[in-house]
Amino acid sequence: MIRSLRWRLVFATALLIGTMLGAFWLFSTFTVRRQFEQFLIAQRQIDPRGPAQILRTTPDLGEALRRLHEQYGIRSIVVEGKRVVRVYPRELEEYSIRVLDGGKLELTRRKAERLEKLIARSPVVPVAGANVHLLPPPDRSANAPRAFRLSVNRWLLGGLAAAALLAGAVMLTMFRRIFRPVDALTAGARALAGGRLDTRVEVHGNDEVAELGRAFNTMAEAVERNERARRNMVSDVAHELRTPLTSIRVQLEAVQDGVLEPDAKFIASIAEDAAALSHLVDDLQQLSLADAGQLRLELAEVSVAELVERAASGLEARIARDVDPALTVRADARRIVQVIRNLLVNAVAYARSEIAVTAARRGDFVEIRVSDDGPGVPDEQKERIFDRFYRADASRSRSTGGAGLGLAIARQLVELHGGTIAYERPAFVVVLPA
């Protein structure tokens, strides 16, 4: 069984070409054989003036027919009405002769287990109430059918060979154009599997193979981007874990060396670093569960005003609220409160004096906007601020800017609700299904 797609196409195309050529050959051969005799009869014109003179001046019809055959080689068939009454020479008696309309004769005989049929349209000379049909002499073209068929067959074979070569050339050209990008895709896939994540293939045209090439390049870019993100994430996690662990270790070594006393202040510092570690681990676990689709939501109809109030609770900042008390969404209240509180904490960190929360219905969705009068996010960073461990201000420390996971978690939670979150200066906009 042929497994290669290339050879399957080659075999199928060759079979198709062979079938077409064979059918054409058979059709041409039988058509030429059937029509040749009729064509030959039509082409061999007999001048009836001399034979007619002999028929009219010779009293005995049999003698006249004999003279026609000896002098001109003409074969004669005498017909009265639609009945054949005489033939000359006797070899014509091998045929079953039938008179057709229009003065045509149908001659049929069986020869070598094959039925031969000939339709003849020949000159007719009326003599004494009968019609004498004059057929051309057989010896003039005894070898003509065979010679004609051989000549035609040679031309047919030449034409078929040329057609086969042309079809083969077209097939090879087509296959080369089809399989060149396929081979490039195969090589690219192997290189990608071997770790060369920068592998791309050249794409030409707009056909299905070109579309496949573009899809491959998009996939390769996504793989490279995800691998880069994974490496950055591992590095960032290590960095975030190293800071509190280093602080704990340094303080413990200071106690061991007698530099510090293990008093309440020391214990509070250790507890703060441990809490930071615990918070980071919780954030990472939450992201992992969201990525795996295992973060369960407890959906219910909740008031948006209540969600905003819970999110703002305990924040030492003046937050303006413009939310209709009757406005509700179907959501997991705890998760959406986490999202809004994260946005409010960021606003408190950056705002100069004003923070506002507004909410309104937009068709089948509810839009929640958290804005402040701070410097805002630069346009070139608008998309990246939702990446994990990304900080718009790279100089911010863990103590002032967190681990850079808050907005990434917020996006995951909003998308799990079937909504979207984006930054539109000067506000973060959360859109949730109503």
Side-chain angles (χ1 to χ4, degrees), residues 297 299-305 307-308 327-340 343 358-369 410-422 429-434:
L297 301 178
L299 300 177
E301 290 291 332
V302 293
S303 168
V304 177
L307 294 176
V308 174
L327 188 62
T328 62
V329 292
R330 182 168 179 78
D332 185 322
R334 183 166 63 91
R335 305 295 185 186
I336 298 303
V337 167
Q338 182 181 355
V339 171
I340 299 175
L343 298 179
T358 62
R361 183 179 292 276
R362 300 283 187 267
D364 295 332
F365 295 87
V366 170
E367 181 182 275
I368 304 171
R369 303 179 74 91
R411 181 173 64 178
Q412 289 278 21
L413 294 177
V414 170
E415 290 178 351
L416 282 175
H417 283 79
T420 60
I421 182 172
V429 182
V430 177
V431 179
L432 296 170

Side-chain angles (χ1 to χ4, degrees), residues 1 17 27 70 137 247 249 329 381 410 413:
M1 181 178 180
I17 293 175
F27 174 78
E70 289 179 354
S247 176
R249 189 188 66 183
V329 292
Q381 297 180 352
L413 294 177

Side-chain angles (χ1 to χ4, degrees), residues 77 79 82 84 86-87 92-93 95-99 105-108 135:
I77 300 176
V79 177
K82 286 199 171 184
V84 177
R86 179 180 255 181
V87 298
L92 288 178
E93 294 177 356
Y95 290 90
S96 173
I97 303 173
R98 189 163 64 95
V99 181
L105 299 176
E106 181 186 83
L107 288 79
T108 307
L135 300 182

Side-chain angles (χ1 to χ4, degrees), residues 132-406:
V132 180
H133 291 257
L134 306 178
L135 300 182
D139 56 331
R140 294 184 186 175
S141 57
N143 296 321
R146 181 173 179 274
F148 179 82
R149 283 195 296 270
L150 288 176
S151 177
V152 170
N153 287 344
R154 281 195 296 269
W155 282 103
L156 284 177
L157 285 174
L160 290 176
L165 290 175
L166 179 61
V170 172
M171 179 183 69
L172 291 176
T173 302
M174 179 181 67
F175 284 178
R176 187 179 296 110
R177 294 194 62 181
I178 291 176
F179 284 103
R180 182 182 299 155
V182 172
D183 292 338
L185 282 170
T186 302
R190 289 173 178 167
L192 193 65
R196 294 175 52 190
L197 302 184
D198 60 341
T199 300
R200 302 292 185 271
V201 297
E202 294 186 8
V203 178
H204 304 284
N206 295 306
D207 56 12
E208 292 82 355
V209 178
E211 185 64 27
L212 179 61
R214 280 188 284 270
F216 174 85
N217 288 339
T218 302
M219 178 194 69
E221 291 171 2
V223 170
E224 185 178 20
R225 184 171 58 251
N226 292 338
E227 178 63 17
R228 191 184 305 114
R230 184 190 67 82
R231 292 176 180 174
N232 292 340
M233 181 176 177
V234 171
S235 175
D236 291 335
V237 168
H239 174 75
E240 295 297 331
L241 291 174
R242 185 182 298 112
T243 302
L245 286 174
T246 300
S247 176
I248 293 172
R249 189 188 66 183
V250 168
Q251 293 182 76
L252 289 175
E253 289 177 351
V255 171
Q256 290 174 341
D257 294 340
V259 177
L260 289 178
E261 292 291 333
D263 53 12
K265 183 179 179 181
F266 168 79
I267 294 174
S269 177
I270 294 293
E272 181 183 352
D273 289 331
L277 282 173
S278 177
H279 183 68
L280 176 60
V281 170
D282 290 342
D283 285 349
L284 290 172
Q285 183 181 23
Q286 193 171 24
L287 281 172
S288 176
L289 291 174
D291 288 340
Q294 297 179 357
L295 193 63
R296 293 189 299 176
L297 301 178
E298 298 177 1
L299 300 177
E301 290 291 332
V302 293
S303 168
V304 177
E306 180 183 346
L307 294 176
V308 174
E309 190 64 32
R310 288 170 57 183
S313 176
L315 294 179
E316 298 179 359
R318 194 172 170 186
I319 301 174
R321 303 170 180 81
D322 182 11
V323 183
D324 184 354
L327 188 62
T328 62
V329 292
R330 182 168 179 78
D332 185 322
R334 183 166 63 91
R335 305 295 185 186
I336 298 303
V337 167
Q338 182 181 355
V339 171
I340 299 175
R341 186 173 182 84
N342 182 281
L343 298 179
L344 288 173
V345 168
N346 285 344
V348 170
Y350 285 101
R352 296 187 179 94
S353 60
E354 296 181 3
I355 300 174
V357 179
T358 62
R361 183 179 292 276
R362 300 283 187 267
D364 295 332
F365 295 87
V366 170
E367 181 182 275
I368 304 171
R369 303 179 74 91
V370 178
S371 59
D372 62 74
D373 60 352
V377 179
D379 291 339
E380 63 272 13
Q381 297 180 352
K382 286 172 55 176
E383 297 300 326
R384 296 197 60 194
I385 57 175
F386 295 100
D387 293 345
R388 299 170 187 184
F389 297 105
Y390 182 79
R391 297 190 184 98
D393 183 359
S395 65
R396 295 179 69 200
S397 67
R398 177 179 57 84
S399 60
T400 60
L405 293 174

